[in-house]
Amino acid sequence: MPMRRRTFLKGAATTVAAGTGLFPHVWVKNTGLAYAQGGEIKVGVLFSLTGTTAIIEESLHKATIMAIEEINAAGGINGMRIVPVEEDPASDPATFAEKARKLVLSDRCVSVFGSYTSASRKAVLPVFERQNNLYFYPTLYEGRECSKNVIYTGAVPNQQQDDFVPWLVEKFGKRWYLIGSNYIYPKEENNYCKKLLAELGAEVVAEEYVPLGHSEFSSVINKFRSEKPNVIFSTVVGDSVVALHRQYRAAGLDPETMPMASLTTSENEVAAMGGDAAAGHFTSAPYFMVWDSPENQRFVEAYRSRWGGDKVTHFVSEPSYFQVYLFKQAVQKLAASDITPPTIREAIKGEEMVAPQGRVRIEPENLHTWLWPKIGQCGSDGQFTILKQSETWQEPDPYKAYPNQRCTADGLKEV
Amino acid sequence: MLDIAAQFVTGLSIASILLMVALGLAVIYGTTGVINLAHGEFVMLGAYGAWFAQTFLGLGLIASMPLVFVAVALLGLLTERSVIRWLYARPLDTILATWGVGVVLQQAVRLSAGGELRYVAAPHILDVSLDLLGVSVSAYRVFVLVVALAAFAATWAIIYRTALGLRLRAITQNREVAQAFGVNADRVYSLTFAYGAGLAGLAGALVAPLKSVAPEMGTAYVVDAFMVVVLGGVQSLFGTVASSGLLGELSGFIAYLSNDTIAKAVVLLAVVVLIRFRPQGLFTRRGRA
């Protein structure tokens, strides 16, 4: 089915292009079918500024807007300005879908940057697939998705875990306690983690999920005490992360012998739990605020001078920033009359740039991003110390936990 | 054996937080009959009060507790004077009104203090572990337990050993007769509501160092608080203690044996079944109007 729809759309696009060639003034002026006109390229910015996830999405919004401002200040894309159309989906998946429809259909944005949660991405997905538009998604997520209408610039499980898990097994031991919040993301991460642990001959002593927003971890901590795992692998999210770390510390457990290894604890959560509670624990991510590179220094300084000296950058705001530049690079390669979502998708395949975290690249097969995973240990000052960076950039494989499936340029393949 | 002792102590600690959060609600609901859905927001305001005192006034948690109690109590008084007092004759409408108050408070905090999670430090001297029943337990959790019991004792003394408490009990039994005897019911209700709100604020300040502080934190607490009060029996203070102890131990043990997701479901189910067969709750006082 998708093949047939795509063929149809291609045909339609050709017809339109032919029409534009013959009667350019009719099409461009009256019906506004061209995406780039009057020296402007409209893009949607779809991050929640109100509601429960506004806390984090506000920083993604700021990083996106800053990148757009920078590009425009430097002369835009081939002399055209990027015009952001901002919408507030209020942390509600249904509103996400509604606003996405507005951005794509009535504002005629050529691409949209947005979403933090998987729930909101899943909600807008049908809109972008049906209209064959493009969605840029900056968050690390659980993988197992293969859409031709989403550019994924955050990490998938294999990128965060391939270095992290063997490193922890070697350094701390083979008894692992998996704890996560009770929804899809932690379960998929743990699926992949269990696969890696089995290959390393390590043992999962418990796998446990707490309700979203849970804040009473004393029973869980008693289980840590009685099971005595070597590593606590945590995919607990949101304010539960804060409660878990604080109660772990209050209970007097020792990160030296039983560290928590997390995929979700960023500078944001650490600021809320206090450096004392975070000290000694590990996080794996492609980006940390302290990462020492000229690009990151420039990014952090620009962010703070634009939005305030106390602001932090983190592993979701960084992709929010660089993905706008990747968009720019792709559009730059196109003639103004050729700028459409499908041509941008083709142009962005294989596109590379030096992001704050290092050189990144869009994988042509699955539209995910090659990234540089790092292992950080938190100090009592609330900042991470980077202990290890992967030797090479990591290929994104959203189906790595499922060896019989593979995401290719033609869609999901069973092998 | 040690595991069971450890889990028992854990249950006590969970129970002390439940008691602290539910006590204010028990006082308000049990005496005025107002179903205060803004209770969770008073808890949240208490937590933000502790954060404010720590960040802007440089006060430690213990020093800020009386301040938080007074501030949230005053806000409770204001709420009662401006909204609740017009609705005593319409108890069902108080649900909608207090829910609205809760939404307003939540958004007001989000707009003024920002949406991000906030950090409240635990007092430094309580940053150690104690030995309780042969189990090592965080001193801060013991402190919460002590404060909860003290708050309960103070509440009991106010209701059963002061003139205000006597008037309050009289009004609860029969408002008209009490008023005929010259009791100023409006004033007593205002004070009761303010006291209950103050207790909620105190609870918020107490949980802040253990959990996270965010504008929507109140929602979870209001559910817990209602569960405790309804299970314990609406007008029984001792019922509140007993049911928070029961719920704390139950959820702690089930979470230990299986996990927190199951514990939450089982505890809610148990409460539903119990209410079905004993709608008045575990403990009831005779002599209700």
Side-chain angles (χ1 to χ4, degrees):
Chain A
M1 271 320 278
M3 277 306 293
R4 217 173 287 162
R5 186 170 66 212
R6 193 167 301 126
T7 326
F8 167 74
L9 280 168
K10 258 184 206 157
T14 321
T15 322
V16 169
T20 320
L22 288 173
F23 313 102
H25 58 285
V26 176
W27 288 102
V28 174
K29 265 194 185 152
N30 296 344
T31 59
L33 253 177
Y35 277 102
Q37 34 175 312
E40 291 186 345
I41 301 170
K42 267 206 248 178
V43 298
V45 179
L46 191 59
F47 293 108
S48 304
L49 303 177
T50 53
T52 46
T53 53
I55 302 164
I56 195 111
E57 290 191 46
E58 200 185 322
S59 63
L60 313 185
H61 177 90
K62 288 186 162 129
T64 307
I65 294 297
M66 185 175 94
I68 294 175
E69 288 173 355
E70 284 179 4
I71 292 171
N72 284 339
I77 306 178
N78 293 338
M80 292 175 288
R81 283 181 61 241
I82 308 179
V83 179
V85 184
E86 297 167 38
E87 287 292 342
D88 173 15
S91 311
D92 169 44
T95 314
F96 262 94
E98 178 197 316
K99 300 286 185 189
R101 221 168 286 127
K102 174 194 173 276
L103 288 171
V104 170
L105 290 173
S106 67
D107 293 324
R108 293 192 53 73
C109 293
V110 74
S111 291
V112 177
F113 304 93
S115 276
Y116 172 64
T117 63
S118 283
S120 67
R121 187 192 68 251
K122 294 274 188 207
V124 301
L125 204 55
V127 177
F128 288 90
E129 296 196 328
R130 202 164 304 138
Q131 306 302 329
N132 203 12
N133 206 292
L134 262 192
Y135 199 52
F136 284 74
Y137 178 65
T139 318
L140 59 114
Y141 84 112
E142 65 277 1
R144 224 180 165 188
E145 195 172 281
C146 185
S147 173
K148 294 301 131 207
N149 298 91
V150 182
I151 308 292
Y152 306 85
T153 54
V156 287
N158 78 299
Q159 291 175 305
Q160 277 182 293
Q161 294 192 34
D162 276 354
D163 280 354
F164 197 32
V165 170
W167 183 83
L168 287 163
V169 165
E170 190 188 328
K171 209 163 161 357
F172 293 98
K174 293 190 166 179
R175 289 171 53 78
W176 283 49
Y177 198 113
L178 312 185
I179 177 144
S181 295
N182 196 6
Y183 75 111
I184 177 94
Y185 168 76
K187 291 186 175 178
E188 288 291 337
E189 289 285 0
N190 283 344
N191 266 348
Y192 188 62
C193 182
K194 283 186 286 186
K195 188 173 135 94
L196 288 179
L197 288 177
E199 283 164 12
L200 293 161
E203 174 198 5
V204 176
V205 295
E207 178 181 358
E208 178 170 358
Y209 298 95
V210 297
L212 274 169
H214 191 66
S215 66
E216 181 58 71
F217 284 95
S218 39
S219 293
V220 168
I221 283 166
N222 280 343
K223 282 189 255 188
F224 291 167
R225 274 218 185 89
S226 58
E227 290 286 357
K228 295 189 181 55
N230 301 125
V231 177
I232 298 162
F233 188 71
S234 159
T235 41
V236 170
V237 301
D239 40 2
S240 300
V241 175
V242 177
L244 174 61
H245 277 80
R246 299 198 78 167
Q247 291 169 31
Y248 176 103
R249 173 167 156 79
L253 298 181
D254 185 8
E256 292 268 318
T257 53
M258 198 195 288
M260 287 199 268
S262 170
L263 305 176
T264 48
T265 309
S266 77
E267 288 84 352
N268 256 323
E269 283 81 9
V270 170
M273 69 181 75
D276 287 346
H281 299 292
F282 300 94
T283 296
S284 164
Y287 175 82
F288 290 99
M289 190 171 172
V290 294
W291 178 242
D292 189 16
S293 76
E295 290 78 18
N296 187 38
Q297 255 173 25
R298 222 186 45 70
F299 171 54
V300 173
E301 270 164 30
Y303 193 84
R304 290 192 149 172
S305 71
R306 177 67 180 85
W307 302 112
D310 58 335
K311 297 288 184 230
V312 296
T313 57
H314 52 87
F315 54 59
V316 193
S317 71
E318 188 247 7
S320 303
Y321 174 76
F322 78 65
Q323 67 182 11
V324 183
Y325 276 90
L326 286 170
F327 167 82
K328 173 203 167 208
Q329 283 177 216
V331 175
Q332 220 157 22
K333 297 197 289 188
L334 303 169
S337 56
D338 277 349
I339 298 174
T340 65
T343 54
I344 295 174
R345 175 183 57 225
E346 293 314 310
I348 206 166
K349 287 182 175 173
E351 206 51 52
E352 288 182 19
M353 69 172 283
V354 183
Q357 64 172 278
R359 180 167 279 275
V360 297
R361 168 171 186 264
I362 302 289
E363 166 58 41
E365 284 286 305
N366 54 32
L367 301 180
H368 286 63
T369 309
W370 293 66
L371 301 168
W372 291 90
K374 302 164 178 65
I375 298 171
Q377 183 176 32
C378 199
S380 50
D381 61 349
Q383 278 295 352
F384 286 89
T385 309
I386 293 165
L387 303 178
K388 186 170 183 279
Q389 171 169 247
S390 73
E391 278 141 29
T392 164
W393 56 4
Q394 276 273 2
E395 181 182 0
D397 186 350
Y399 285 83
K400 191 125 184 210
Y402 303 88
N404 57 337
Q405 290 177 315
R406 187 147 187 90
C407 182
T408 71
D410 303 320
L412 189 60
K413 287 269 163 66
E414 303 281 335
V415 285
Chain B
M1 195 50 218
L2 199 66
D3 273 4
I4 293 176
Q7 203 46 46
F8 179 72
V9 173
T10 294
L12 274 187
S13 169
I14 300 176
S16 66
I17 294 173
L18 284 177
L19 174 62
M20 202 57 226
V21 172
L23 199 55
L25 191 79
V27 170
I28 294 174
Y29 187 32
T31 56
T32 66
V34 169
I35 297 172
N36 179 22
L37 288 185
H39 190 73
E41 273 61 46
F42 289 138
V43 173
M44 179 268 293
L45 283 175
Y48 271 90
W51 168 73
F52 183 86
Q54 181 191 287
T55 316
F56 297 103
L57 311 176
L59 287 179
L61 185 75
I62 297 178
S64 73
M65 274 164 50
L67 219 66
V68 167
F69 177 80
V70 172
V72 180
L74 283 177
L75 198 89
L77 189 68
L78 188 74
T79 312
E80 200 273 346
R81 286 279 154 117
S82 56
V83 181
I84 314 288
R85 67 159 32 181
W86 313 106
L87 302 170
Y88 283 124
R90 297 184 281 158
L92 281 183
D93 293 349
T94 59
I95 298 179
L96 189 61
T98 51
W99 184 68
V101 169
V103 171
V104 170
L105 291 176
Q106 217 180 84
Q107 296 307 324
V109 167
R110 181 188 293 287
L111 288 176
S112 54
E116 52 264 69
L117 303 172
R118 293 298 182 183
Y119 170 69
V120 176
H124 222 60
I125 40 164
L126 296 174
D127 218 6
V128 288
S129 289
L130 295 181
D131 214 42
L132 203 70
L133 306 174
V135 180
S136 140
V137 53
S138 122
Y140 188 76
R141 283 187 179 271
V142 178
F143 173 69
V144 175
L145 182 68
V146 171
V147 175
L149 290 177
F152 168 71
T155 308
W156 185 86
I158 288 174
I159 294 183
Y160 293 99
R161 290 287 179 271
T162 66
L164 176 71
L166 185 68
R167 289 189 204 116
L168 181 62
R169 280 179 289 143
I171 298 170
T172 312
Q173 286 196 1
N174 191 322
R175 184 169 170 155
E176 281 75 28
V177 175
Q179 278 176 314
F181 276 89
V183 175
N184 184 346
D186 277 354
R187 193 166 154 271
V188 174
Y189 271 10
S190 296
L191 288 176
T192 310
F193 198 87
Y195 179 71
L199 280 180
L202 203 57
L206 272 176
V207 297
L210 276 178
K211 304 187 173 183
S212 59
V213 180
E216 10 352 85
M217 65 186 281
T219 322
Y221 292 111
V222 78
V223 175
D224 286 350
F226 267 103
M227 218 158 64
V228 169
V229 171
V230 170
L231 181 70
V234 169
Q235 292 185 352
S236 163
L237 269 188
F238 280 102
T240 304
V241 178
S243 81
S244 46
L246 191 69
L247 291 177
E249 290 294 349
L250 194 64
S251 58
F253 266 100
I254 299 174
Y256 185 72
L257 295 175
S258 119
N259 64 54
D260 281 288
T261 309
I262 301 286
K264 202 165 196 157
V266 170
V267 166
L268 268 170
L269 191 71
V271 172
V272 169
V273 170
L274 228 137
I275 294 301
R276 164 66 184 80
F277 291 103
R278 222 183 134 73
Q280 70 276 37
L282 291 177
F283 298 81
T284 42
R285 264 190 28 226
R286 279 168 298 125
R288 260 196 286 182

